[in-house]
Amino acid sequence: MSRGGGKGLSLKDKLDGNELDLSLCDLNEVPVRELAALPKATILDLSCNNLISLPSDFCSLMHLVKLDLSKNRLQQLPLDFGRLINLQHLDLLNNRLVTLPVSFAQLKNLKWLDLKDNPLDPVLAKVAGDCLDEKQCKQAAVKVLQHMKAIQSEQDRQRQRKLQAEREMEKKREAEQRAKEAQERELRKREKAEEKERRRREYDAQKAAKQEMEKKTKKETVHTRKPASSSRAPQRPRHKPSWSRSVLRVLLFVLFCILCALAACKLTELQHQPLCISVNTLYEDVVAALQNHKTLQNMLQHNSK
């Protein structure tokens, strides 16, 4: 272990029973890995070196019972320094410490403490007091532990209050969110009800208009049918003339006209007119044809007999 980095020299050579003296070694860092390999070294002296800080894994050396860090340049201790729960004797004389980590309150076995010649916070300096003899150093350990426990309790309460405030704030946000969602649901429900009511009114209006139109149409139809039925009521239905009756009437009319023409051509002075001469000739031919037809019928009847 060299003076600059603490390597090259075996720690076992400095181990005397359960005490390991690394003072006046001009150390800039603590050889934590080598120290962890020596669990028998419950007393560690790191005084009179150039240590500015302790690494976080230094707190894994839970086997330490007595620790001397006096006359270094330590500005702060690791945050989890309280893991050294077996520590009973701690010398921090003549460093540059202002405060102690809150975990310091977990050093329940600490019975001796020296914090002299550090630029401590005034409150902490007053609590620690002097360490000029064994009794004062023991009182310093008790008082500092009580002070740090009070700080830890206050921080725990503050943390609890903060967590409670955060939970209340979260509950408040959740309540506001639920109220907002309920309001939105109520708004949607009201809009839906209004839309249904509007459609129902439209449907009722359309239905009423349709019924009114049907009633009006029915009334107009009734008014239109009444005069026609009253005018046709007394009348008897007429039978349409058949086609044969019409032809018969036409033939009778033609025959009547022919007879009138024959009478006029036979009995009046018109018989000498060319038209009447033609009519009379035609009449005589027809009569002759009829007579010949009658003669023929008689002959046929005689032959048949």
Side-chain angles (χ1 to χ4, degrees), residues 96-256:
R96 299 178 183 179
L97 297 172
V98 177
T99 60
L100 296 175
V102 178
S103 65
F104 199 90
Q106 300 173 12
L107 300 177
K108 58 182 180 179
N109 293 315
L110 188 66
K111 296 178 175 58
W112 195 97
L113 177 63
D114 189 358
L115 288 172
K116 292 192 309 295
D117 298 333
N118 280 281
L120 295 174
D121 177 79
V123 176
L124 180 60
K126 184 177 179 180
V127 171
D130 293 327
C131 183
L132 302 177
D133 54 30
E134 189 75 11
K135 182 178 180 181
Q136 289 182 344
C137 293
K138 289 181 178 181
Q139 289 178 350
V142 173
K143 291 180 179 179
V144 170
L145 282 178
Q146 291 177 348
H147 176 69
M148 298 309 298
K149 287 179 180 178
I151 293 176
Q152 186 181 42
S153 299
E154 181 61 25
Q155 288 188 356
D156 290 341
R157 285 192 294 270
Q158 290 180 358
R159 191 179 300 109
Q160 290 296 327
R161 286 195 294 268
K162 184 178 180 181
L163 292 174
Q164 183 66 23
E166 290 177 354
R167 285 195 293 266
E168 290 178 356
M169 184 63 67
E170 182 66 22
K171 289 181 180 179
K172 184 178 179 181
R173 284 195 295 267
E174 291 177 356
E176 291 177 352
Q177 182 66 23
R178 287 194 297 269
K180 183 178 179 181
E181 291 175 355
Q183 186 177 4
E184 291 177 353
R185 287 195 300 269
E186 185 64 25
L187 180 60
R188 290 194 297 268
K189 185 177 179 181
R190 186 165 58 251
E191 290 177 350
K192 187 176 181 179
E194 291 176 355
E195 179 66 16
K196 290 173 69 176
E197 180 63 21
R198 184 184 66 81
R199 293 189 179 184
R200 187 187 66 80
R201 288 198 299 267
E202 289 181 355
Y203 174 77
D204 291 344
Q206 292 176 358
K207 185 176 180 181
K210 185 177 180 181
Q211 290 177 351
E212 186 65 24
M213 183 64 69
E214 291 177 353
K215 188 184 294 183
K216 186 177 179 181
T217 305
K218 187 176 181 180
K219 188 181 292 184
E220 291 178 353
T221 304
V222 170
H223 284 307
T224 304
R225 288 178 177 177
K226 278 185 177 180
S229 60
S230 59
S231 60
R232 286 196 300 266
Q235 293 180 358
R236 296 182 178 178
R238 296 179 179 179
H239 299 286
K240 294 183 179 180
S242 61
W243 181 80
S244 59
R245 186 175 298 179
S246 299
V247 173
L248 181 58
R249 288 180 180 180
V250 171
L251 291 176
L252 291 175
F253 177 75
V254 172
L255 181 59
F256 176 75

Side-chain angles (χ1 to χ4, degrees), residues 74-89:
L74 295 173
Q75 299 179 1
Q76 62 182 8
L77 297 178
L79 294 178
D80 55 348
F81 192 80
R83 291 177 59 192
L84 302 175
I85 56 176
N86 293 314
L87 198 62
Q88 300 179 12
H89 188 286

